[in-house]
Amino acid sequence: MAFTPDFDSHPIEATITSAVPLAGWVEVVWSDGRASRFHHIWLRDNCPCEQCVHPVTREQMFEIISVPADLRPQRVWVDEEGSLAIAWPAVSDVPAHESHIHPGWLRRHAYDDASRQERSLEPVTWDASTMPEPPTFDGRAIMEDDDALYEWLVALRTWGVSVVQNVPCEVDAIADLVARIGIVRETNFGVLWDVRSEPDPISNANTSLALPPHVDLPTREYQPGLQFLHCIVNETEGGENILVDGFRIAERIRAISPADYAILTTVPFQWANRSATSDYRWDAPIIVTNADGSLREVRVGNWLRAPLDVPFGVVEAAYAAYRRLFELTRADDLQLRFRLQPGEVMAFDNRRALHARGAFTDMSGRRFLRGCYSERDELMSRLRMIERERRACREAGAVSATRRQ
Ligand SMILES: [Fe+2]
């Protein structure tokens, strides 16, 4: 079977029934009836042969500028293994070439509308009525079982919030949980950090004050993608945990005030920490969208803003939009409220979910949380690796079943 330019398995869920070269592309029809068009230049760019892709690193050596921009196949066929085969003609000093593209790989990378839609992973936004409590998972199962880990990470990717129970009340236990996903992101607060009221606090987080809805480290060029807060002791009165879906707030602003939405997505606000030992600052819009307009991240943290520094004529509109956003962070119907218990970890997308806490009575007992950060990338990589292992098992199972026949 044709070599693939990656380390993944590509079970063949649909075979190629026909492949027809047309003016600018090849039209492939699959056994389930789907038709996918592949541009000639895309097919040449994705030739997986050992001259084009390094057989050990599986990284590309071929460069598209080494062939003419209008290169067209001489012949297209489905080879005896079911791969898409393409003969490329010799053109001036560029020698002829032959590509064999694995049908399972090709189907997974098809870019017709239906295939792209199938691959899209849209987050699902929520409010207090659609999500009365955070999705909850068992930490013991997550530590031992990749299926349980997978289920948790899919929920975190989809909803942006979760609670993991049964995590040992030990100061480093959160590091073991996050190691199941990937690498902890160290910051100027350390690898793991404490959240408790301190006599000489370095942040409002280390007081008993209420904290308004925020993401952590909006002061950084790249805000941590994931945050984990492990409750080890919670014997105080108050200190209620609050989560708000920043994407739902953004959707609501977009619906009720396109003008405010335009300000929040385009005008950079200023962010800065106040610290005796560091001076992190960044300018960025409060809502960041992807190229297609879908939501990528929010940046919210009232006590970490620097004085607004925008053109004179924009100040009033910027404050109006900012006020609208902050009013929505307080909307009862958007706030998910609960009380984290010892042994529970609140895990959330720090570039999407805003977290807050109620004030707590310092005298009434102790409240001690340990926290750390990681990245969305780490989560996505772990999910793909679990999926890759599942595909490899499926393929191995199919091969052994074939041998038994
Ligand atoms: Fe925080």
Side-chain angles (χ1 to χ4, degrees):
M1 187 52 83
F3 182 75
T4 60
D6 56 28
F7 291 91
D8 210 339
S9 305
H10 300 281
I12 299 166
E13 268 132 28
T15 55
I16 300 173
T17 53
S18 71
V20 178
L22 300 169
W25 53 82
V26 173
E27 180 158 295
V28 168
V29 177
W30 303 93
S31 53
D32 60 359
R34 183 172 296 175
S36 308
R37 293 181 296 175
F38 299 94
H39 289 86
H40 298 147
I41 196 162
W42 188 97
L43 291 167
R44 182 62 192 91
D45 193 26
N46 286 287
C47 175
C49 83
E50 295 196 2
Q51 283 167 272
C52 293
V53 173
H54 191 285
V56 178
T57 66
R58 306 207 183 186
E59 291 175 345
Q60 193 175 38
M61 297 179 291
F62 170 77
E63 290 184 302
I64 199 67
I65 53 167
S66 64
V67 296
D70 59 353
L71 185 70
R72 295 181 58 161
Q74 197 164 43
R75 188 162 85 89
V76 172
W77 72 104
V78 180
D79 71 16
E80 64 282 359
E81 291 184 319
S83 296
L84 178 66
I86 305 143
W88 305 101
V91 185
S92 55
D93 58 342
V94 179
H97 195 78
E98 197 167 299
S99 302
H100 293 262
I101 303 181
H102 186 290
W105 182 93
L106 189 64
R107 174 66 180 233
R108 278 184 60 202
H109 294 83
Y111 51 92
D112 57 275
D113 291 348
S115 298
R116 295 185 77 234
Q117 181 62 37
E118 221 167 61
R119 286 198 295 273
S120 86
L121 299 169
E122 288 292 313
V124 179
T125 62
W126 50 268
D127 58 33
S129 64
T130 61
M131 191 190 289
E133 50 192 47
T136 300
F137 300 86
D138 177 19
R140 285 177 302 218
I142 287 169
M143 292 307 294
E144 288 161 14
D145 176 9
D146 277 0
D147 289 342
L149 174 64
Y150 188 82
E151 205 186 322
W152 171 42
L153 298 185
V154 167
L156 194 44
R157 182 188 70 198
T158 307
W159 305 101
V161 292
S162 68
V163 166
V164 178
Q165 297 176 320
N166 300 316
V167 178
C169 289
E170 294 159 11
V171 287
D172 291 341
I174 196 168
D176 297 333
L177 180 72
V178 177
R180 287 287 282 150
I181 304 175
I183 295 176
V184 169
R185 168 161 167 193
E186 186 174 3
T187 69
N188 54 312
F189 292 99
V191 177
L192 304 181
W193 30 268
D194 297 340
V195 184
R196 61 177 149 202
S197 178
E198 289 169 358
D200 192 15
I202 55 165
S203 159
N204 284 1
N206 298 98
T207 67
S208 57
L209 293 170
L211 294 178
H214 65 284
V215 304
D216 275 18
L217 308 192
T219 53
R220 305 298 296 267
E221 176 177 5
Y222 191 63
Q223 307 171 98
L226 300 175
Q227 181 172 167
F228 304 85
L229 281 171
H230 181 198
C231 177
I232 294 176
V233 182
N234 195 0
E235 296 165 0
T236 55
E237 280 170 28
E240 183 186 32
N241 299 93
I242 299 162
L243 286 166
V244 184
D245 187 354
F247 285 4
R248 179 56 73 93
I249 291 177
E251 285 175 349
R252 202 172 274 191
I253 296 172
R254 187 167 51 193
I256 59 182
S257 176
D260 286 342
Y261 188 77
I263 292 280
L264 295 169
T265 50
T266 58
V267 173
F269 282 67
Q270 284 67 43
W271 312 91
N273 72 333
R274 280 83 167 168
S275 160
T277 55
S278 63
D279 194 341
Y280 294 105
R281 302 182 193 194
W282 194 246
D283 290 5
I286 288 179
I287 299 169
V288 176
T289 57
N290 296 306
D292 66 355
S294 59
L295 294 162
R296 182 197 291 266
E297 69 176 42
V298 297
R299 194 178 285 258
V300 178
N302 191 57
W303 70 94
L304 291 167
R305 285 185 310 123
L308 187 65
D309 181 6
V310 297
F312 186 84
V314 179
V315 170
E316 287 176 1
Y319 271 110
Y322 184 76
R323 288 175 67 97
R324 187 183 295 279
L325 177 124
F326 256 76
E327 280 160 11
L328 285 173
T329 66
R330 306 302 208 280
D332 280 344
D333 66 323
L334 294 183
Q335 291 197 342
L336 182 57
R337 291 171 170 269
F338 57 102
R339 185 181 166 89
L340 212 55
Q341 301 297 330
E344 290 185 335
V345 170
M346 189 165 107
F348 54 96
D349 183 327
N350 185 64
R351 291 160 64 201
R352 170 182 173 184
L354 312 182
H355 62 294
R357 71 149 191 248
F360 58 92
T361 320
D362 223 357
M363 305 300 288
S364 65
R366 297 183 308 142
R367 185 180 191 274
F368 175 37
L369 277 65
R370 282 278 268 182
C372 70
Y373 303 113
S374 185
E375 297 296 351
R376 287 177 175 174
D377 275 7
E378 300 288 342
L379 179 153
M380 293 305 295
S381 174
R382 177 60 54 213
L383 280 176
R384 291 188 196 108
M385 287 306 296
I386 296 173
E387 288 167 0
R388 191 190 287 191
E389 282 155 25
R390 288 178 176 177
R391 275 192 292 274
C393 286
R394 224 163 59 226
E395 197 163 63
V399 168
S400 65
T402 312
R403 287 205 185 108
R404 280 199 302 275
Q405 282 168 8

